[in-house]
Structure formats: C-alpha cells, structure tokens
C-alpha cells in the first residue's frame, strides 16, 4: 500500500529539518526521511565540528604567543584525542537536541531510510512506499573526489574523516585552496602539523578579490603554511604515513596525510530523479526556479542540493521561503537576496554584497574605502592587527554595496556593515557615528574618512 502524507521532506539539513517540524506543527501530516544523521552536514560534519576544533586551534595559537603578552607558560602540546572528544561531544549535543524536537513533534514521522523516486509524487523509503502532494528535496552535498591517478589506492581524508584523527599529522598535504581547505590548513598548522596546500588557481580562495587573497596568503606565510599555486596533483602513491603526490609541473611532494578538499557535489545519485523527470544541472544539482520549485509541480529542492550557495544560513533562508509559500500563502523568492559568508580562518574573512571583482565585471560604479586592521586601535591593542577591511559604496547614493573584512572578528564587523547595507544607510552616518572606545566598530570612523 502507498502511504499518504501531506508533505514529505527528504533529508534533515538546516532547511529540511525546521520545515518538516513547521509543516507538522501547522497540522500537515509530514514525513521526514533521513538516511544518516538528523541535522545534515552543518551539525554533523560541517559548521559545528569544524568551528569547535578551530577554537582548539586558536587556544594553541594564543598559548604559543603568550610571551608576547608578558605571560610565561610551559611546553605546549596537542592532545588530539581530547580535541576530537570535545568535537564529538559538541556534535552529539546539537544532534540530540534536533532529534528530540523531531521525535516529539505531533504529525511528524521520522523515517530512517534512503529515499528514491518511483513516480512524480511517490517515493520508496526502505520497504515503504510514500506519496504526497508536496515533496521537498534537502539531501545536501558530499565531497567531490577527482579522478586522480592512484587516489583510490591510498588512504586519503575528506572534510569528515580528517576530524576523526587521533593524532596530529606530521605533514598534511591539502589538495585544493578554497574555503574548506584554508580553514583546515590553519587549524592543523596550529595543532602542530607541517601543512602544504596545492591549488590550481593563481591564488588561495581565488573567488575573492586579488588583494584579499594576497592578504590571506601573507597571513599563511607568516604562520608557516606552504602553498603551491597554479599546479594540480596528477598522481598519488604510497601507503598510510608515507604518501607521495606528483604535480603536473613534475614536482613530487611527500606527506604523512592527504586531505582532498576540491569542492562538493550534490547528493542526487540515489534519488532516481529521472523517474519523475526532475531536471538537473550539469553537476547533478536539482534545477529550481527562484521559488525553489523544480520542473515537476509541487516538488521543491532546498539547501546545497539545488546548486545555490552552500551555506547553512542560505539553507535556512530556503526554509523561510518555503514556509511562506507552502504555509503562509505568500510568494517568497530567492531573487536579490544577500549572500553573506564568513571563512573562519584567523583572522576571519567576512564578505557581503558585491566584490570589487564583480563590480568591475558588471560595470557597477563604486567608490572604494580600504584600511589596514593595524589602524583599528582595538585590534592593535590586543595584538590582532593582521588583515584589512574594504568597502564599496555607490558614488551617488553613498550606500554600501559590498564589503570584505579580513581581520580579527571579521565576520562580526562584516555583519555590522551588512546591517548598514540592508538599511541603505549612507556611509557618512558610520563615519560620524559615535562608537564606544576602544571597539572594533570604532574603526568605521577612520575607514570612511576621505
């Protein structure tokens, strides 16, 4: 028999999980299908565990710098098992909290199975067949593993398995120089590893403006992280603890551990999307319109699986859009929404709005304000003056159109600039604003001083 539901949500990520609960709380008979862990990537192998471990890395970094602040410490060492235990405890706490909410929500049934389509509005989950007028796909993404010769014959790490190590790698090579890569690179360098990044682009975090990438590269050089740019790995050989990576320029690198961080792919292979005729993008992502609906009416896709920006806060905004559409009778859209993000290196890199690179490409007029963090009194006083902030403003309206902050608490500074952007606040208001002294926000007085 085919079981009838009002709403079926496939995947319990940061969009699907709250959506399933909200639908159930609004009286909809709802099924939430999850094959692995409640909470999706963010809670289990993404934001929560990585930022927890990065906190351990920062403590190690400050301990090693103690003498700069006039503090005497003893020998510094890393207990990797303890770092891992703290991370696991944090994940368990977040996951169990979500599980309790889901299993206690009336009208919501959690089904721990893999799901695949058997028709336009029917699914198979284990031995059960389900149907609903509204189906939401929230299956997330997984690490992309490239077809590098020999890679499938050696023990390599991905973003999840590297956090399960019980010892600090002697020498960690990372394939890829984007956001996931740079966070892990600095973390393990601080924990005691020798770290080398291999990146085919001319810069690390190549999506960013060139001056931002160069500033981060300067930080990494100071931290003792090695990086090889404009090269790619073409072969990997060796065994656990003794790996060799061959680059396309003929160079050979040796390492004890190898992390593959070359992007992520949507989790759509097992869904059998061809059965209902759901269209996908070339990379396998589910194709959706600005309302997050697929070409099959009543079937939606949210979060990483739809090919949009892969951030937890975007997944949650996808939930808000569908809540408005499905439950509130309003037509919400992704069109024109801001996509802020923070890279949790130290200093942090926060970005919102239009980059200088994008402004030039799209011929958007702008006026640029830039200032090194060493000119921010608070940052200088606490010994965290690396990096800089840059803001693009509309030369006519004087409102902020984009910002990038590589600096101490750069994400929080960026959020303040985002609020000004959202409120269309002219930059002279920030320039003349009275901010408490000495705080990071006080830097706006000087940043916008022409």
């Amino acid at each position: 028999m085919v079981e009838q539901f009002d709403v079926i949500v496939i995947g319990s990520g940061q969009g699907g999980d709250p959506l399933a609960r909200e639908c159930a709380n609004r009286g909809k008979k709802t099924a939430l299908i999850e094959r692995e862990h409640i909470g999706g990537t963010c809670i289990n192998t993404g934001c929560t565990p990585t930022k927890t471990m990065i906190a351990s890395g920062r403590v190690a970094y400050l301990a090693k710098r103690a003498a700069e602040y006039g503090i005497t410490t003893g020998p510094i060492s890393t207990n990797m098992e303890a770092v891992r235990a703290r991370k696991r405890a944090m994940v368990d706490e977040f996951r169990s909290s979500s599980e309790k909410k889901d299993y206690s929500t009336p009208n919501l049934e959690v089904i721990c199975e893999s799901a695949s389509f058997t028709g336009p509005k029917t699914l198979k989950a284990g031995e059960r067949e389900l149907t609903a007028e509204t189906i939401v796909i929230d299956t997330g993404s997984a690490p992309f593993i490239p077809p590098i010769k020999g890679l499938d014959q050696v023990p390599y790490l991905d973003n999840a398995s590297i956090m399960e190590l019980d010892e600090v790698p002697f020498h960690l090579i990372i394939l890829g120089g984007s956001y996931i890569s740079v966070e892990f690179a600095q973390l393990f360098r601080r924990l005691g590893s020798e770290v080398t990044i291999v990146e085919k682009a001319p810069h690390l975090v190549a999506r960013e403006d060139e001056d931002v990438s160069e500033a981060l590269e300067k930080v990494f050089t100071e931290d003792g992280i090695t990086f090889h740019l404009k090269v790619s790995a073409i072969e990997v050989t060796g065994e656990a603890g003794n790996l060799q990576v061959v680059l396309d320029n003929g160079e050979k690198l040796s390492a004890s551990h190898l992390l593959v961080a070359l992007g992520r792919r949507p989790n759509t292979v097992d869904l059998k999307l061809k059965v209902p005729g759901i269209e996908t993008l070339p990379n396998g992502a589910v194709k959706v319109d600005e309302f997050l609906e697929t070409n099959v009416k009543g079937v939606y896709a949210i979060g990483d699986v739809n090919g949009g920006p892969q951030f937890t806060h975007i997944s949650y905004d996808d939930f808000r859009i569908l809540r408005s559409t499905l439950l509130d009778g309003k037509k919400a859209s992704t069109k024109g929404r801001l996509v802020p993000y923070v890279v949790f290196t130290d200093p942090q890199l926060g970005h919102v709005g239009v980059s200088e690179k994008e402004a030039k490409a799209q011929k958007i007029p702008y006026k640029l304000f830039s200032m090194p963090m060493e000119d921010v009194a608070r940052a200088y006083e606490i010994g965290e003056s690396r990096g800089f902030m840059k803001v693009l403003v509309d030369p006519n309206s004087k409102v902020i159109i984009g910002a990038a902050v590589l600096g101490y608490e750069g994400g929080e500074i960026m959020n303040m600039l985002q609020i000004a952007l959202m409120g269309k606040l002219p930059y002279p208001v920030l320039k003349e604003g009275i901010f408490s002294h000495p705080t990071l926000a006080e830097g706006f007085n000087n940043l916008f001083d022409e």
Side-chain angles (χ1 to χ4, degrees):
M1 291 181 60
V2 179
E3 301 178 57
Q4 180 72 50
F5 289 85
D6 297 316
V7 178
I8 297 173
V9 180
I10 312 170
S12 64
Q14 297 303 295
D17 197 41
L19 180 64
R21 287 198 297 268
E22 187 72 13
C23 288
N25 285 327
R26 300 281 193 101
K28 304 284 187 182
K29 184 181 179 183
T30 305
L32 176 61
I33 306 173
E34 174 53 58
R35 68 180 181 181
E36 193 168 4
H37 297 303
I38 295 294
T41 296
C42 178
I43 287 177
N44 296 286
T45 60
C47 312
T48 296
T50 57
K51 279 49 181 179
T52 299
M53 293 183 72
I54 285 171
S56 295
R58 177 156 176 81
V59 171
Y61 170 69
L62 290 175
K64 292 170 185 176
R65 293 180 60 201
E68 295 179 28
Y69 298 89
I71 305 299
T72 302
T73 62
I76 306 298
S77 62
T78 298
N79 182 340
M80 198 63 198
E81 290 184 349
V83 171
R84 183 181 64 182
R86 181 175 183 272
K87 181 268 300 185
R88 286 177 173 177
M90 198 73 69
V91 170
D92 288 344
E93 181 179 345
F94 276 61
R95 185 194 299 159
S96 62
S97 175
S98 294
E99 288 174 344
K100 287 177 183 177
K101 291 177 184 177
D102 289 344
Y103 284 104
S104 63
T105 299
N107 300 317
L108 176 60
E109 182 177 358
V110 179
I111 302 172
C112 300
E113 298 282 357
S114 291
S116 60
F117 280 88
T118 57
K121 294 292 182 69
T122 56
L123 295 163
K124 188 173 184 180
E127 298 300 316
R128 301 170 64 176
E129 192 165 12
L130 320 173
T131 185
E133 280 303 305
T134 300
I135 296 177
V136 180
I137 303 169
D138 182 37
T139 49
S141 61
F144 168 70
I145 306 302
I148 297 174
K149 182 179 179 181
L151 185 59
D152 59 347
Q153 303 297 315
V154 301
Y156 65 85
L157 302 164
D158 60 23
N159 69 291
S161 59
I162 193 171
M163 292 187 288
E164 287 300 311
L165 294 175
D166 58 6
E167 61 180 4
V168 177
F170 176 73
H171 183 189
L172 174 66
I173 288 182
I174 303 177
L175 303 185
S178 195
Y179 304 124
I180 293 174
S181 166
V182 295
E183 288 189 356
F184 278 121
Q186 192 178 54
L187 165 63
F188 279 92
R189 179 59 184 155
R190 289 182 165 185
L191 295 179
S193 298
E194 182 180 344
V195 177
T196 300
I197 300 173
V198 176
E199 168 57 46
K200 67 179 181 180
H203 288 288
L204 299 179
V205 291
R207 172 181 170 181
E208 303 297 324
D209 289 335
E210 190 170 309
D211 55 355
V212 174
S213 294
E214 289 175 345
L216 182 62
E217 289 165 5
K218 180 182 177 184
V219 167
F220 273 25
T221 299
E222 292 171 351
D223 288 356
I225 297 171
T226 302
F227 42 92
H228 297 258
L229 304 174
K230 300 182 182 179
V231 292
S232 298
I234 59 173
E235 185 177 4
V236 182
T237 60
E239 56 189 8
N242 184 22
L243 301 171
Q244 291 77 45
V245 178
V246 182
L247 306 182
D248 57 8
N249 64 358
E251 191 173 359
K252 296 181 180 180
L253 307 176
S254 297
S256 61
H257 294 73
L258 176 67
L259 169 63
V260 179
L262 290 165
R264 298 179 66 80
R265 59 168 179 79
N267 280 325
T268 55
V269 175
D270 298 332
L271 290 174
K272 298 183 179 179
L273 298 177
K274 290 184 178 180
V275 174
I278 294 173
E279 294 179 0
T280 58
L281 299 172
N283 67 348
V286 180
K287 185 178 180 180
V288 296
D289 59 18
E290 65 182 88
F291 307 108
L292 302 173
E293 191 169 21
T294 71
N295 61 302
V296 177
K297 186 173 177 58
V299 178
Y300 301 83
I302 62 177
D304 292 2
V305 76
N306 68 18
Q310 295 182 342
F311 301 114
T312 293
H313 44 284
I314 295 302
S315 296
Y316 193 77
D317 190 58
D318 286 353
F319 148 65
R320 287 191 290 240
I321 288 171
L322 286 196
R323 179 181 60 187
S324 295
T325 300
L326 302 177
L327 301 174
D328 296 335
K330 301 174 183 178
K331 203 69 171 177
S333 160
T334 63
K335 194 172 183 179
R337 68 177 171 184
L338 283 174
V339 183
Y341 58 86
V342 180
V343 185
F344 286 87
T345 49
D346 188 7
Q348 295 173 6
L349 170 58
H351 178 94
V352 68
V354 179
S355 67
E356 191 173 8
K357 184 187 298 185
E358 292 168 336
K360 289 178 178 177
Q362 299 172 30
K363 294 181 169 51
I364 299 173
Y366 67 91
K367 183 174 183 177
L368 177 66
F369 293 93
S370 180
M371 185 179 73
M373 288 300 294
E374 63 184 14
D375 287 352
V376 180
R378 174 65 176 167
Y380 194 74
E381 290 160 356
I382 63 174
E384 298 287 357
S385 59
R386 298 195 294 182
F388 74 115
M389 62 177 81
K390 62 184 296 187
V391 178
L392 281 67
V393 302
D394 183 290
N396 297 314
S397 66
K398 298 185 179 182
V399 301
I400 295 169
I401 60 173
V405 181
L406 178 67
Y408 179 71
E409 292 295 350
E412 302 298 341
I413 299 173
M414 177 275 292
N415 282 334
M416 289 186 277
L417 293 167
Q418 180 184 344
I419 293 171
L421 190 162
M422 293 166 64
K424 300 187 184 305
L425 196 68
Y427 75 84
V429 176
L430 293 178
K431 174 189 172 185
E432 301 299 338
I434 301 174
F435 299 101
S436 297
H437 174 77
T439 61
L440 296 170
E442 190 183 26
F444 296 151
N445 295 149
N446 293 333
L447 171 65
F448 295 111
D449 189 345
E450 299 173 82

